[in-house]
Amino acid sequence: MSKHQFQTEVSQLLHLIIHSLYSHKEIFLRELISNASDALDKLKYLTLTQDEFKKLAFDPRVDISYTEGDRPTLTVSDNGIGMNEEDLVENLGTIARSGTKNFLGKLTGDAKKDSNLIGQFGVGFYSSFMVADSVEVISRKAGEDKAYKWVSDGKGAYEITPAERESFGTTVTLHLNEEGREYTGRWQIEQVIKKYSNHVAFPIFLHYTATEYEGEGEKRKEKKEQKVEQINSASAMWKRPKSELSDEDYKEFYKTLSHDYDEPLFWLHTQAEGTQEYSTLFYVPKKAPFDLYQADYKPGVKLYVKRVFITDDEKELLPVYLRFVRGIIDSEDLPLNVSREILQQNRILSSITGSSTKKLLSEFQRISENNPEMYTEFIEQFNRPLKEGLYSDFANRETLLELVRFKSTEVEGYTSLKAYKERMKDDQKGIYYITGEKEETLRNSPLLEAYKARGIEVLIMDDEIDEIVVPSIGKYEEIDLKAVNKSGSSDDLKTEDDKKKEKEIKPLIRKIKDALGDRVKDVVASSRLSDSPSCIVADESDPSMQMQQMLKAMGQKDLPEIKPILEINPDHEIVKKLEAKKDDKALVEDVATLLLEQAMMIEGAELKKPAEFVKRLNRIMNMAL
């Protein structure tokens, strides 16, 4: 016998599940059946592709039985691939993926919301402890002779001992608590399975005792008979015609497939015939998967060949930017024994991936036009991954440009580039945007003053990926995209009056430039300011302030210092008064430095010497008083 402690996060998780998540406790049965289905899928593949497994007598099925009385139990058994001792430790004693800590951090105390997280974070087996005082697992791995028993009460430890099992597969027995006692009845079990697991592609059999009566009157006798009945449809749903399926069918299959308690936002079911035959069923979740932005994210699409499960761990089935999509690809043309290396270079799969991507993007476009409210829900969750596609999927860039959305100075919520173009002024020379870290900071940036004054719309891009993606786009329908925090964009706003003021203020500009020295790349008169005395912009060829911060955060500490361009507002009272005192060298230096530093602070830049800033500010305040 070997005794083990649960991984720390598992212990925390079990405590929370046992004490907090009772409101939707029936999902434990869905999770156990889903695990059994996965085990059957894996063994079915081996029996078709590997010689040592082809001789196995394999009739895939899931069997469920229960006992009533003082010590009620519920048992879920399969004849799938099974587990050995090492597998039991790996699969039931630890949670290998990094999602567990995220799961624990997201628990809210709201039982409905928290129970939904169980599936999202891949911890479904542990939901058994919502209804059981203890759980016993007996498993024998296919191709091996030894069986093992895993037992735990969910309170911090588990034991593994040698056991006996007639054949390969896994049997999970729950010793039910008061919360689980209701799952010792045929009707309740059948309802849960029909609700959550009807479309599991293997037969699920319920073992129960039926009571019948024979005879009449005093001669009437009770007769008990053991019965076994299949209680699910056991068909590959994605192969059935859409006309045979209801919305409820699609929604419940999604929950089985994804372990998500929520319904999907929408789905797309296609069946291709001709030179290639394949079926796809794709779902878009209501909420972004927890690991959407993690490098070790789990792909959401399963690959089948002729209804035989091949893999659910292949990240190339769809482009990376569509990693939030859940679903199934089932090909009639791929070989059953296709390896992962072959998959990555397979022309058939590449064609399916390309076609599936276009169909998904086309569906997104259809929804954006026909159901704006649903599309807003979609964008709130998945706008950023779509933007990644602009950078990585050049073949579909034109479509993606129509799908992505941005915030704006002119409209509430999100807007498209197409809608922006329709609102453009007749003499407007570009699509203007500003990038940065915080929406509120960007909306109040001095850089927007002249655009607001002229009624020109500016797109607010507060997503860090905008800084990388948008400059790579360059144009939308032959219209230049112009960053207002770059030096060149203000040329579009420049009037003859601005050019005249620029000449008049040249002596002061020279003084300020001398005072600031190598702290700035240049000092120029601004045509984009109306209320503020100064602002900073990046040279057209230099990275913006946000891009510099991103590069440093990514570990590039030895970047050369990028100096900003300081723009001065010739019409501002401070600048006019400074011009009158431009021969006071000390004052010019203090004011020039404050104009630079306040502009940097507004843009979120960090001051290198805050103590000197305070001293300088105190000197100016003292003079003002």
Side-chain angles (χ1 to χ4, degrees):
M1 181 179 76
S2 60
K3 192 165 186 175
H4 306 260
Q5 290 296 123
F6 279 119
Q7 185 185 23
T8 304
E9 288 90 346
V10 176
S11 295
Q12 292 176 265
L13 183 67
L14 286 169
H15 178 82
L16 287 162
I17 287 175
I18 293 166
H19 293 92
S20 305
L21 307 184
Y22 284 131
S23 67
H24 294 287
K25 56 184 180 293
E26 74 267 17
I27 65 170
F28 84 91
L29 189 51
R30 177 192 75 185
E31 297 300 319
L32 293 180
I33 292 172
S34 181
N35 290 344
S37 176
D38 287 345
L40 292 167
D41 264 331
K42 289 171 182 173
L43 185 54
K44 183 178 180 181
Y45 173 71
L46 293 176
T47 60
L48 293 169
T49 59
Q50 294 192 19
D51 290 338
E52 64 264 38
F53 291 99
K54 287 180 179 179
K55 60 187 177 184
L56 289 178
F58 181 54
D59 179 21
R61 58 186 287 158
V62 179
D63 289 273
I64 298 175
S65 59
Y66 59 90
T67 61
E68 301 175 84
D70 294 337
R71 296 182 178 179
T73 64
L74 178 68
T75 299
V76 178
S77 182
D78 67 72
N79 59 338
I81 195 165
M83 293 177 280
N84 57 25
E85 184 174 12
E86 184 181 342
D87 295 330
L88 287 168
V89 172
E90 179 66 23
N91 295 331
L92 305 187
T94 64
I95 299 179
R97 296 177 60 225
S98 58
T100 317
K101 288 183 180 178
N102 290 27
F103 175 89
L104 294 168
K106 286 179 179 284
L107 288 172
T108 63
D110 182 322
K112 182 175 180 180
K113 292 179 181 176
D114 290 348
S115 61
N116 176 29
L117 293 173
I118 287 176
Q120 290 183 32
F121 287 82
V123 293
F125 170 78
Y126 302 110
S127 62
S128 302
F129 289 99
M130 289 193 290
V131 296
D133 289 325
S134 66
V135 178
E136 178 183 290
V137 179
I138 296 177
S139 193
R140 176 178 157 190
K141 194 164 187 173
E144 298 184 11
D145 297 326
K146 293 181 180 179
Y148 296 90
K149 180 165 71 172
W150 180 99
V151 179
S152 178
D153 59 6
K155 294 178 180 176
Y158 60 92
E159 292 180 355
I160 297 177
T161 56
E164 295 294 327
R165 197 177 194 279
E166 191 174 327
S167 64
F168 51 84
T170 299
T171 300
V172 180
T173 300
L174 311 185
H175 296 271
L176 299 170
N177 56 25
E178 284 303 313
E179 293 288 339
R181 187 176 286 275
E182 64 184 280
Y183 299 102
T184 56
R186 174 190 170 193
W187 182 87
Q188 180 73 357
I189 295 171
E190 193 169 329
Q191 290 305 305
V192 173
I193 290 171
K194 286 189 180 296
K195 179 179 180 181
Y196 291 117
S197 306
N198 194 43
H199 299 295
V200 168
F202 302 102
I204 300 172
F205 294 96
L206 179 61
H207 299 243
Y208 64 95
T209 302
T211 302
E212 297 178 355
Y213 295 90
E214 294 179 345
E216 298 290 337
E218 294 181 1
K219 294 183 178 180
R220 191 174 187 224
K221 292 182 179 179
E222 182 180 277
K223 181 183 177 184
K224 292 187 180 292
E225 185 179 351
Q226 298 298 316
K227 290 194 173 184
V228 180
E229 184 179 328
Q230 183 175 331
I231 50 176
N232 70 320
S233 62
S235 63
M237 187 184 124
W238 58 91
K239 299 297 289 186
R240 292 168 61 189
K242 287 185 277 188
S243 58
E244 293 182 5
L245 299 168
S246 67
D247 285 357
E248 285 306 311
D249 289 329
Y250 281 111
K251 290 173 185 177
E252 293 307 332
F253 181 68
Y254 167 74
K255 292 175 182 178
T256 300
L257 177 76
S258 66
H259 306 284
D260 193 346
Y261 195 82
D262 274 339
E263 294 178 351
L265 188 60
F266 55 87
W267 58 86
L268 177 64
H269 187 187
T270 65
Q271 292 178 332
E273 296 179 350
T275 54
Q276 289 182 4
E277 289 188 30
Y278 61 91
S279 302
T280 62
L281 176 53
F282 296 127
Y283 291 93
V284 171
K286 277 189 178 178
K287 299 292 183 185
F290 79 95
D291 58 355
L292 187 63
Y293 300 112
Q294 293 180 7
D296 64 342
Y297 73 89
K298 182 170 177 57
V301 177
K302 296 184 176 185
L303 176 65
Y304 285 74
V305 173
K306 300 179 181 71
R307 292 167 296 287
V308 176
F309 171 76
I310 303 299
T311 180
D312 60 358
D313 197 32
E314 178 53 60
K315 294 185 176 182
E316 305 299 322
L317 296 178
L318 286 178
V320 173
Y321 69 90
L322 293 178
R323 60 189 176 276
F324 55 86
V325 174
R326 275 42 190 142
I328 282 168
I329 294 173
D330 189 351
S331 170
E332 297 293 321
D333 303 312
L334 286 167
L336 277 173
N337 59 351
V338 62
S339 69
R340 178 169 296 180
E341 292 72 27
I342 293 172
L343 273 178
Q344 292 171 353
Q345 301 169 19
N346 188 280
R347 276 186 282 180
I348 295 173
L349 188 60
S350 177
S351 174
I352 294 173
T353 296
S355 178
S356 296
T357 300
K358 289 185 183 298
K359 286 176 181 175
L360 279 165
L361 297 184
S362 178
E363 182 68 5
F364 299 165
Q365 183 72 29
R366 187 190 69 79
I367 291 171
S368 73
E369 294 167 358
N370 299 334
N371 194 336
E373 289 184 6
M374 179 185 285
Y375 195 70
T376 297
E377 280 189 70
F378 170 73
I379 281 298
E380 285 172 348
Q381 298 295 319
F382 306 116
N383 199 30
R384 179 176 164 179
L386 290 183
K387 289 178 183 176
E388 293 174 24
L390 288 171
Y391 191 77
S392 61
D393 187 359
F394 190 79
N396 291 300
R397 176 178 279 186
E398 295 304 314
T399 306
L400 286 162
L401 276 173
E402 301 301 332
L403 294 173
V404 295
R405 296 291 185 264
F406 303 98
K407 296 167 188 172
S408 164
T409 56
E410 290 297 309
V411 295
E412 290 289 323
Y414 292 94
T415 189
S416 65
L417 292 174
K418 180 181 179 181
Y420 179 104
K421 182 187 175 187
E422 291 170 353
R423 293 190 294 267
M424 282 176 63
K425 294 184 173 299
D426 292 338
D427 60 346
Q428 191 171 324
K429 296 177 180 178
I431 295 174
Y432 298 101
Y433 67 91
I434 183 170
T435 58
E437 198 170 323
K438 295 180 180 176
E439 180 182 351
E440 184 180 359
T441 301
L442 295 178
R443 289 190 181 278
N444 294 301
S445 171
L447 297 169
L448 301 185
E449 290 173 359
Y451 297 93
K452 289 177 180 177
R454 291 167 171 80
I456 296 174
E457 181 176 1
V458 179
L459 297 175
I460 305 294
M461 300 191 181
D462 58 342
D463 195 331
E464 62 183 21
I465 197 172
D466 294 327
E467 191 70 60
I468 300 168
V469 168
V470 179
S472 75
I473 299 168
K475 294 177 183 288
Y476 172 73
E477 294 188 354
E478 302 307 313
I479 302 172
D480 290 329
L481 275 68
K482 299 188 175 185
V484 304
N485 43 359
K486 293 278 189 169
S487 58
S489 59
S490 64
D491 294 343
D492 297 347
L493 307 176
K494 198 170 288 186
T495 64
E496 289 302 318
D497 189 42
D498 289 326
K499 293 175 183 177
K500 182 181 175 184
K501 290 173 185 174
E502 198 174 306
K503 288 181 181 178
E504 292 171 354
I505 205 174
K506 267 188 177 179
L508 177 61
I509 293 288
R510 241 186 333 263
K511 293 274 186 184
I512 293 174
K513 197 181 293 189
D514 291 341
L516 295 175
D518 63 0
R519 282 176 284 181
V520 293
K521 192 167 191 174
D522 200 1
V523 180
V524 298
S526 181
S527 56
R528 72 177 99 218
L529 295 172
S530 58
D531 301 324
S532 301
S534 63
C535 67
I536 57 167
V537 294
D539 188 77
E540 286 294 326
S541 59
D542 288 340
S544 68
M545 189 71 65
Q546 189 191 21
M547 177 60 82
Q548 294 173 50
Q549 292 170 346
M550 283 171 59
L551 291 170
K552 288 177 182 175
M554 291 163 64
Q556 299 190 33
K557 306 293 185 185
D558 55 348
L559 287 171
E561 184 179 3
I562 308 296
K563 296 167 185 176
I565 295 172
L566 178 66
E567 292 195 0
I568 301 296
N569 181 1
D571 293 326
H572 199 277
E573 199 67 25
I574 290 174
V575 176
K576 288 179 177 178
K577 288 180 177 179
L578 184 62
E579 191 173 13
K581 297 183 179 183
K582 61 179 177 285
D583 293 330
D584 187 338
K585 187 176 179 181
L587 178 64
V588 169
E589 183 171 350
D590 273 347
V591 174
T593 305
L594 284 173
L595 288 172
L596 172 64
E597 290 175 332
Q598 73 167 11
M600 291 176 68
M601 290 170 68
I602 289 172
E603 295 305 316
E606 188 177 332
L607 298 184
K608 291 182 178 179
K609 299 178 179 179
E612 290 188 14
F613 166 75
V614 172
K615 289 179 183 176
R616 194 173 296 113
L617 187 61
N618 288 339
R619 283 199 298 271
I620 297 298
M621 285 195 296
N622 186 50
M623 289 175 62
L625 295 171

